[in-house]
Amino acid sequence: MQNTGTRNPATTSTHCPYCALQCGMNLTPVEGGTVEVSERTDFPVNRGALCGKGRTAAAVLAPGARLTSPLVRSGDGALVPAGWDEALDRIAGNLERTRARYGADALGVFGGGGLTNEKAYALGKFARVVLGTSQIDYNGRFCMSSAAAAGTRAFGLDRGLPFPLEDVPRTGCVILVGSNPAETMPPSLRYFTELRENGGTLIVVDPRRTRTAEQADLHLAPRPGTDLALALGMLHLVVAEGRVDEEYVEERTSGWEEARAAAMAHWPEYVERITGVSVPELREAVRLFCAPEAAMVLTARGPEQQAKGTDTVGAWINLCLATGRAGRPLSGYGCLTGQGNGQGGREHGQKADQLPGYRKLTDPAARRHVAEVWGVDPDALPGPGRSAYELLDALGTDVRSLLVMGSNPVVSAPRAAHVEGRLRSLDFLAVCDVVLSETAELADVVLPVTQWAEETGTTTSLEGRVLLRRRAITPPDGVRGDLEVLHGLAGRLGVEKGFPTDPEEVFEELRRASAGGPADYSGIDYRRLAEENGVFWPCPAQPAADDTHTAATGTGPGPGRDTRTGTGTATGSGSTGTDSDSDADVGTGLRAAPHPGTPRLFLDRFATDDGRARFVPVTHRPSAEEPDDEYPVLLTTGRVVSQYQSGAQTRRVAELNAAAPGPFVELHPRLAARLGAAEGDPLAVVSRRGRAVAPARITTGIRPDTVFMPFHWPGEGRANTLTNPALDPTSRMPEFKVCAVRVETVTS
């Protein structure tokens, strides 16, 4: 079924619940309270294509797969069904008792990058206004926080992609660093295929020869944890070979001399010794990248999930700046966001240090603006709290009660066995989820909440495109929305107003709270999203006709300006959004034709005070944990095509489980021979934090000094039992992607 021409009037056009592509799909109700998923060809990102996860998404709606009643911990320790009033009363009562005994910061909130913008906004407001706690963060901290920190440092603004995906096939070269879209977001692979069909080149940087790497013109396989040295080695060659765009560097950047000096300390032979990438390969990568007029660098979790992830991404940004490949058509640095609302989830208040609109919690003007929207005293808002892993590590000691919404840290957090122990040590744990996840199994109260087909709300894709997900069916009896949960808890905790259950009403408040901030949504409403297939932020409420400051021309106020009517971050021209014929009005008293949105950032100026991009000098340093005699092998982790994140939902889908039934240890034949291991033999992978066991998968597509494990499963094959929680000093990202291990055969 297609979303063109004649179609079933009961069919709803919406978006996939999984990754940040947010693929368009159609949902048609069928018997049994679920839906049939069909293609939707009018959405430009996936153009009808869906991966296996998207096609089977409706399976999790079935009553046998999901929760349909609140659960409470009984006297004998079992989780038993309960009514909603009892469950909400228990949560509110325990939160209030914890606060009275230990103070507000003994209450913790842990959110998720899959929550809609409305839920993320309401959750951040709930933590700060109702609970009064600073202790809120979310699993998106584990997604692209290093890229966000590096992008903000260089450009003054973080948006995953500063251009739409449609630009990728039209550029001349793409360097794809630590990303495997063939498995993580399959419908996007067509963009890279089309790039090559159009005569462009694809360079893939990955220690494994993944399905994506097999499509590349050049595959560079560095040792895990050395992406920073690789980028610096390429920049060294750019300088040495006279490929710097001197005019661009002079006119549009600052800090070049310091960054240049740092790069020149990373000569090719030195980088070859660090990375294992040969000097001829380095030279070829530089030649391919610099040959065309336009080029891009796209990163994902590989370089970002490191204790030096911010600097690593910064080095790739420096390469773009030195060659004039940022803020120009069909060029730039971008990050491939992972989670479905990983972008919007961090823009509107779930993150420990941020307020809605991507404002800084430490900025007095930002606090005043948001406090006015919320109707509270700015001084009453707590300051920044702990980052995600630090919050989880503090459970049971400083943080005594925790509310989790849309996350499963028992499987997804680094040093997961330790995190599981901290969760068990809490005085009280409440979890809101669609399914009984491994984290929910530990809870004192579990609340069954609606999922994507049963609710309306907005998400923000990896392109910065704000989208409207529409409700297609009524949720089962006994299931409520997360906004209803927050409304019910707020009322029980003495806050009767300010937490509506209607998502559009929440979004209208979000618009006001974001107005004038870096992520300005004030010119977006549900009607525009429905009519225009999404709108790219920043999209400010258009100022009056006699105000010449407009984001579309790159002359508006700088990022973070505290004004309801400001045009937000100055981002450059090149907007191609479709205008609506309705006026924008967010209570500012100003009405004008709506802003078209901003598909392409930075074409006129960057979002810094002086409009220039900033080079940041960085140097290679070892990973937090290097191999030694006891742990001589490197472990890296990632995803497989048929599972998603912690697998809490996809592991309940028979078709996906048949394709990817469990964890495995991928290793090179030479390492397998040293161990005496054959295909399918059980192997133990041991780190300083624990032990995981899974069958061997032997392949020449991985470095001999490296093993790979997917992280979707709990139990003895849980990869994150092994991973290192060493944190990036800027982004607070844990070092998921590299740690020292030993591999052992398992005898029965």
Side-chain angles (χ1 to χ4, degrees):
M1 183 182 299
Q2 299 181 357
N3 190 31
T4 55
T6 303
R7 64 185 180 92
N8 188 330
T11 295
T12 300
S13 296
T14 188
H15 296 273
C16 180
Y18 291 116
C19 82
L21 283 181
Q22 288 297 280
C23 292
M25 58 170 53
N26 287 325
L27 303 181
T28 304
V30 296
E31 291 184 11
T34 185
V35 294
E36 177 183 75
V37 176
S38 57
E39 67 179 19
R40 176 184 166 195
T41 57
D42 74 314
F43 186 60
V45 174
N46 63 309
R47 295 176 252 166
L50 293 171
C51 73
K53 295 184 289 291
R55 286 189 298 98
T56 61
V60 188
L61 295 166
R66 51 94 58 84
L67 295 168
T68 56
S69 170
L71 303 173
V72 299
R73 190 73 62 182
S74 66
D76 63 4
L79 282 172
V80 298
W84 271 93
D85 284 340
E86 178 186 355
L88 291 172
D89 287 346
R90 280 207 191 190
I91 296 173
N94 276 280
L95 295 178
E96 189 56 67
R97 284 190 290 275
T98 297
R99 182 167 59 183
R101 183 173 181 181
Y102 300 106
D105 274 356
L107 304 177
V109 177
F110 200 82
L115 300 180
T116 62
N117 290 317
E118 292 80 0
K119 295 178 186 180
Y121 172 83
L123 187 63
K125 181 181 178 182
F126 176 83
R128 296 179 173 106
V129 172
V130 178
L131 300 182
T133 183
S134 66
Q135 301 303 302
I136 175 173
D137 212 86
Y138 79 127
N139 63 16
R141 175 77 67 171
F142 302 154
C143 181
M144 56 176 290
S145 57
S146 294
T152 301
R153 194 165 68 178
F155 306 130
L157 181 71
D158 157 47
R159 195 180 85 184
L161 293 181
F163 40 73
L165 276 168
E166 68 184 44
D167 286 1
V168 170
R170 301 191 292 139
T171 193
C173 178
V174 171
I175 302 180
L176 193 59
V177 189
S179 178
N180 182 19
E183 297 200 59
T184 59
M185 44 182 66
S188 73
L189 191 64
R190 68 170 59 187
Y191 291 99
F192 303 101
T193 302
E194 291 171 5
L195 165 73
R196 299 186 69 213
E197 291 172 348
N198 292 340
T201 56
L202 175 64
I203 302 170
V204 171
V205 179
D206 199 305
R208 304 168 61 223
R209 189 162 181 80
T210 63
R211 296 183 189 180
T212 305
E214 290 173 354
Q215 308 291 318
D217 297 282
L218 177 63
H219 173 213
L220 306 179
R223 182 175 176 267
T226 64
D227 312 84
L228 174 53
L230 181 68
L232 287 164
M234 290 182 65
L235 183 53
H236 177 110
L237 286 171
V238 164
V239 176
E241 296 176 359
R243 299 180 185 272
V244 175
D245 188 332
E246 302 284 359
E247 182 179 355
Y248 173 93
V249 169
E250 175 67 23
E251 292 181 354
R252 299 204 60 190
T253 73
S254 62
W256 166 233
E257 289 305 320
E258 294 83 357
R260 178 186 181 279
M264 296 313 289
H266 298 77
W267 62 93
E269 292 77 12
Y270 172 59
V271 170
E272 180 182 69
R273 291 197 299 272
I274 294 171
T275 65
V277 176
S278 70
V279 173
E281 288 177 311
L282 281 171
R283 292 188 185 279
E284 178 66 1
V286 170
R287 185 189 70 81
L288 291 173
F289 183 66
C290 293
E293 182 178 347
M296 300 173 177
V297 173
L298 304 178
T299 68
R301 306 302 81 74
E304 298 163 17
Q305 287 182 326
Q306 298 183 32
K308 53 181 181 290
T310 302
D311 283 354
T312 301
V313 173
W316 290 105
I317 291 174
N318 286 350
L319 179 66
C320 289
L321 294 177
T323 54
R325 307 305 176 86
R328 283 178 167 172
L330 306 181
S331 287
Y333 163 76
C335 168
L336 298 177
T337 308
Q339 294 190 80
N341 197 30
Q343 181 71 51
R346 70 182 180 280
E347 293 170 1
H348 298 300
Q350 278 191 106
K351 209 172 176 184
D353 56 352
Q354 285 177 351
L355 288 169
Y358 224 145
R359 287 180 158 92
K360 293 181 179 179
L361 190 53
T362 54
D363 179 0
R367 294 171 66 88
R368 286 195 302 273
H369 174 84
V370 174
E372 182 182 354
V373 174
W374 287 352
V376 298
D377 184 342
D379 293 336
L381 295 176
R386 293 176 172 88
S387 70
Y389 179 77
E390 293 166 303
L391 173 56
L392 295 172
D393 191 41
L395 300 181
T397 53
D398 294 333
V399 177
R400 308 300 294 254
S401 293
L402 181 70
L403 172 64
V404 176
M405 187 172 283
S407 188
N408 188 19
V410 166
V411 178
S412 64
R415 198 185 175 196
H418 172 74
V419 169
E420 180 177 347
R422 302 319 307 153
L423 285 159
R424 291 181 183 275
S425 73
L426 283 164
D427 295 348
F428 181 77
L429 172 62
V431 174
C432 303
D433 211 329
V434 173
V435 298
L436 190 64
S437 69
E438 287 72 24
T439 303
E441 289 176 352
L442 305 181
D444 298 286
V445 178
V446 182
L447 300 180
V449 291
T450 53
Q451 49 185 316
W452 103 110
E454 302 162 347
E455 61 186 12
T456 293
T458 62
T459 62
T460 306
S461 75
L462 79 171
E463 301 177 299
R465 189 195 302 252
V466 185
L467 301 163
L468 181 63
R469 283 191 196 161
R470 298 175 177 87
R471 173 170 166 162
I473 55 173
T474 302
D477 292 340
V479 174
R480 295 184 184 179
D482 295 278
L483 295 178
E484 294 178 272
V485 170
L486 295 175
H487 173 85
L489 290 175
R492 285 167 170 80
L493 291 166
V495 180
E496 299 292 340
K497 296 182 179 180
F499 290 88
T501 60
D502 175 26
E504 187 169 7
E505 187 176 347
V506 176
F507 190 79
E508 288 300 303
E509 182 177 303
L510 182 157
R511 293 174 65 199
R512 297 195 300 275
S514 74
D520 192 334
Y521 284 31
S522 60
I524 305 172
D525 58 30
Y526 273 29
R527 176 179 162 184
R528 284 194 66 181
L529 295 178
E531 292 176 348
E532 300 177 30
N533 243 337
V535 178
F536 291 85
W537 72 261
C539 182
Q542 198 74 322
D546 60 352
D547 189 336
T548 60
H549 296 301
T550 64
T553 59
T555 59
R561 174 175 171 180
D562 184 46
T563 166
R564 294 268 188 106
T565 60
T567 61
T569 302
T571 55
S573 60
S575 300
T576 59
T578 304
D579 286 351
S580 166
D581 59 4
S582 63
D583 288 342
D585 181 3
V586 291
T588 64
L590 297 179
R591 299 173 64 87
H595 188 285
T598 315
R600 295 170 181 86
L601 301 175
F602 313 138
L603 294 184
D604 289 341
R605 69 191 310 272
F606 295 96
T608 56
D609 290 341
D610 61 4
R612 292 172 172 263
R614 306 184 191 100
F615 281 97
V616 178
V618 295
T619 58
H620 172 72
R621 57 185 184 271
S623 297
E625 189 175 79
E626 291 287 340
D628 55 23
D629 291 343
E630 187 176 2
Y631 301 98
V633 177
L634 291 168
L635 168 71
T636 192
T637 65
R639 286 169 49 186
V640 298
V641 67
S642 293
Q643 300 290 351
Y644 180 72
Q645 303 299 76
S646 74
Q649 296 188 41
T650 52
R651 285 186 276 111
R652 287 165 169 80
V653 180
E655 180 181 329
L656 300 179
N657 277 336
F664 56 85
V665 181
E666 185 177 280
L667 72 165
H668 192 275
R670 273 191 269 167
L671 178 56
R674 289 203 299 270
L675 296 168
E679 182 77 14
D681 285 354
L683 295 177
V685 183
V686 184
S687 78
R688 289 176 173 84
R689 289 154 295 281
R691 180 176 187 264
V693 178
R697 183 174 293 183
I698 301 172
T699 174
T700 58
I702 192 168
R703 293 175 54 96
D705 59 2
T706 301
V707 295
F708 166 83
M709 291 187 71
F711 56 72
H712 309 291
W713 288 274
E716 71 170 4
R718 180 174 59 186
N720 278 321
T721 296
L722 309 168
T723 48
N724 191 352
L727 301 180
D728 181 289
T730 302
S731 68
R732 315 309 288 168
M733 168 73 83
E735 190 149 70
F736 285 99
K737 280 297 182 281
V738 53
C739 69
V741 299
R742 66 173 180 267
V743 186
E744 305 168 340
T745 56
V746 177
T747 57
S748 56

